[in-house]
Amino acid sequence: MYEVISGCRSCGSTALEPILSLGQVPLADGLVDPSTMNGPDSRYPLDVVFCGECSLVQLLQTVSPDVLFDETYVYFSSFSDELLRHSRENAERLIASRGLGQTSLVVEIASNDGYMLRNFAERRIGVLGIDPAPGPAQAAEAIGIPTIRRFFGTELAKDLRAEGKRADVVIANNVLAHVPDLGGFVEGIRIILKDEGMAVIEVPYVKDLIDRCEFDTIYHEHLCYFSVSALVPLFGRHGLSLNRVEHYPIHGGSLRLYVGARENVEDSVRSYQEDERRCELTGSRYYRDFASRVRSIQADLLSTLRGLKEEGHSIAAYGAAAKGTILLNSTGIGRDLVDFVVDRNVHKQGRLMPGVRIPIDDPARLVRDLPDFVLLLAWNFKDEILAQQSEYRRRGGRFVVPVPEPTVV
Ligand code: DWN
């Protein structure tokens, strides 16, 4: 059910150095349907390595996308107001800067539930979504976003080009890290992009992950963890140029990459490359203490929660997030400590967290049951969630934020 790579996913080098092992963990978005569950949830090894040649951080194992993004996949982007705001800002800037209009075509790869393309469609700009997950694709079509339910790569790109479909803008948010055929994916972008077109790609930034110890964002969907130094040769190998880099706090720290067939490299790219060289992000020493820092956070968090429990406090959790699965399972936080998880995504309510099988309910349960503490699994949306849960907090409820170190707020 999984394969082990023999060489770097980008450059093919076999100089792969181990960074961290999170052991055998369940699939992060493999929420359990209690009505159909039989036997324990499948678990897979989760090992992170560093490529000494091109400095790409990546998983040693590949679980098939057909398993990861099947009809049970229930991640819907539109359940976060912050993400919707972030996406609208991106779209509005692109519409203005690229002069997009009714004859333009914006293609989004991993278009999910239309959270991003709706911003173009409402301005009568031509859009096309690509997403293999039936649930989110159906939601996108329901709001008028045409969606091709296939995985993206050179084959689909050639099919689209043969139909005369070439994009003025290609958007690919939180998907570049997800594809086993990294080269084919990038090649496909080149194929469907117009010669003067631009691809705008968002990826979690590996420097934020390491510096803030965001180890729970490591899971089988995320095969790669990108630095600018690793991205430049990846795009270059397929006739694309990384021309601009911007950083945003979304998802624990992300890069927004502006890529085109025309080389027009701005200072932002060079300054990231210089900074990464200066802090030795391009060498294995940078990652050497990461595993021990992860173990320390896990130990602190477990003792914090055990301490609260021993004092007689009740504990719930907020956010049936993929990262939540990893945090709970790799740290050993089970139903002995956490009674239930809440999440706004109605498709997740009524299911169980993978592995630990903690039930998922509606956030309204926090004010109804008033648990003493809530472990914030979706810490990347802390401000939005704390504001939303002001009534729970007014009544004395407190949140435990797990990373970069366990903190009660
Ligand atoms: O790459 C990926 C990232 C972008 O999204 C996917 N492969 C998987 C997914 O990871 P995640 O599940 O950790 O993402 P989120 O968006 O951090 O998950 C947040 C969870 O919290 C969602 O289930 C929605 C939920 N939520 C909520 O219940 N109330 C979120 C907000 C903002 C809220 O107010």
Side-chain angles (χ1 to χ4, degrees):
M1 289 291 275
Y2 70 90
E3 294 174 357
V4 178
I5 57 173
S6 55
C8 172
R9 294 175 187 273
S10 175
C11 74
S13 167
T14 56
L16 300 176
E17 299 182 40
I19 291 179
L20 172 73
S21 175
L22 286 173
Q24 298 276 337
V25 293
L27 298 179
D29 273 319
L31 302 186
V32 181
D33 180 342
S35 64
T36 60
M37 66 184 177
N38 49 16
D41 302 334
S42 301
R43 290 172 177 263
Y44 304 86
L46 189 58
D47 299 312
V48 187
V49 295
F50 168 83
C51 174
E53 188 64 34
C54 76
S55 74
L56 179 66
V57 176
Q58 56 201 284
L59 294 191
L60 207 49
Q61 297 86 11
T62 304
V63 174
S64 164
D66 292 325
V67 172
L68 293 173
F69 305 106
D70 64 5
E71 68 285 348
T72 65
Y73 186 73
V74 285
Y75 178 75
F76 288 70
S77 302
S78 295
F79 283 100
S80 161
D81 299 340
E82 181 187 340
L83 184 66
L84 291 175
R85 275 195 307 276
H86 172 80
S87 305
R88 175 173 289 276
E89 171 269 337
N90 186 4
E92 287 172 352
R93 272 182 63 190
L94 282 168
I95 292 169
S97 63
R98 308 297 294 176
L100 300 177
Q102 294 186 20
T103 61
S104 308
L105 177 62
V106 177
V107 174
E108 184 177 13
I109 306 164
S111 47
N112 199 266
D113 58 8
Y115 76 99
M116 180 74 185
L117 287 180
R118 63 188 313 156
N119 297 297
F120 298 96
E122 66 190 28
R123 307 272 287 265
R124 301 170 60 77
I125 293 165
V127 296
L128 177 60
I130 299 170
D131 201 306
Q138 196 174 340
E141 287 162 346
I143 60 168
I145 306 295
T147 304
I148 297 174
R149 299 187 189 192
R150 287 174 59 182
F151 287 98
F152 180 77
T154 48
E155 188 183 333
L156 176 52
K158 286 174 181 168
D159 290 348
L160 290 171
R161 186 157 176 160
E163 294 167 23
K165 291 194 176 80
R166 293 185 70 190
D168 296 280
V169 170
V170 170
I171 293 169
N173 294 335
N174 298 299
V175 58
L176 187 63
H178 297 56
V179 292
D181 180 6
L182 192 54
F185 186 92
V186 174
E187 184 68 23
I189 290 176
R190 176 69 191 89
I191 291 168
I192 61 166
L193 202 56
K194 286 181 180 174
D195 291 344
E196 301 303 324
M198 178 161 59
V200 184
I201 301 167
E202 285 187 10
V203 295
Y205 188 26
V206 71
K207 190 170 187 294
D208 292 311
L209 191 164
I210 301 299
D211 289 357
R212 296 208 289 258
C213 223
E214 299 169 349
F215 70 93
D216 51 352
T217 62
I218 296 170
Y219 40 85
H220 293 100
E221 294 171 22
H222 292 171
L223 297 169
C224 296
Y225 303 82
F226 291 111
S227 61
V228 172
S229 304
L231 286 161
V232 167
L234 169 64
F235 290 121
R237 217 173 286 124
H238 300 279
L240 291 169
S241 172
L242 176 54
N243 290 328
R244 183 194 307 160
V245 176
E246 294 171 350
H247 183 274
Y248 292 88
I250 197 83
H251 287 308
S254 297
L255 297 179
R256 182 179 292 166
L257 314 168
Y258 294 82
V259 176
R262 298 269 184 271
E263 187 169 330
N264 179 22
V265 180
E266 299 179 5
D267 288 346
S268 59
V269 177
R270 282 184 280 273
S271 65
Y272 268 90
Q273 287 176 296
E274 285 158 17
D275 177 56
E276 289 173 0
R277 271 195 297 275
R278 191 168 44 248
C279 69
E280 298 185 358
L281 195 82
T282 51
S284 59
R285 203 200 349 247
Y286 187 83
Y287 307 89
R288 196 144 289 164
D289 70 341
F290 181 54
S292 60
R293 288 192 287 129
V294 170
R295 299 290 175 242
S296 162
I297 286 180
Q298 290 175 320
D300 288 352
L301 179 58
L302 200 51
S303 68
T304 299
L305 297 180
R306 281 180 176 157
L308 293 175
K309 205 69 184 171
E310 282 157 15
E311 290 165 8
H313 295 298
S314 55
I315 305 171
Y318 192 119
K323 61 177 74 68
T325 298
I326 300 305
L327 187 87
L328 296 172
N329 282 278
S330 68
T331 306
I333 301 167
R335 295 184 71 155
D336 58 323
L337 292 172
V338 173
D339 300 328
F340 60 89
V341 178
V342 296
D343 194 292
R344 275 202 322 190
N345 181 338
V346 293
H347 306 284
K348 296 187 175 184
Q349 293 169 10
R351 297 195 184 195
L352 307 172
M353 290 300 287
V356 291
R357 296 204 167 169
I358 298 172
I360 303 165
D361 207 331
D362 182 313
R365 186 170 172 186
L366 293 187
V367 171
R368 198 169 62 239
D369 290 13
L370 281 180
D372 298 310
F373 291 88
V374 174
L375 175 59
L376 186 57
L377 298 175
W379 46 261
N380 49 314
F381 293 124
K382 182 178 78 162
D383 296 343
E384 178 176 353
I385 292 169
L386 293 190
Q388 177 203 104
Q389 292 301 320
S390 54
E391 179 58 18
Y392 165 71
R393 300 180 75 207
R394 191 186 66 77
R395 297 190 187 194
R398 281 168 287 176
F399 279 87
V400 178
V401 183
V403 293
E405 59 187 7
T407 311
V408 176
V409 296

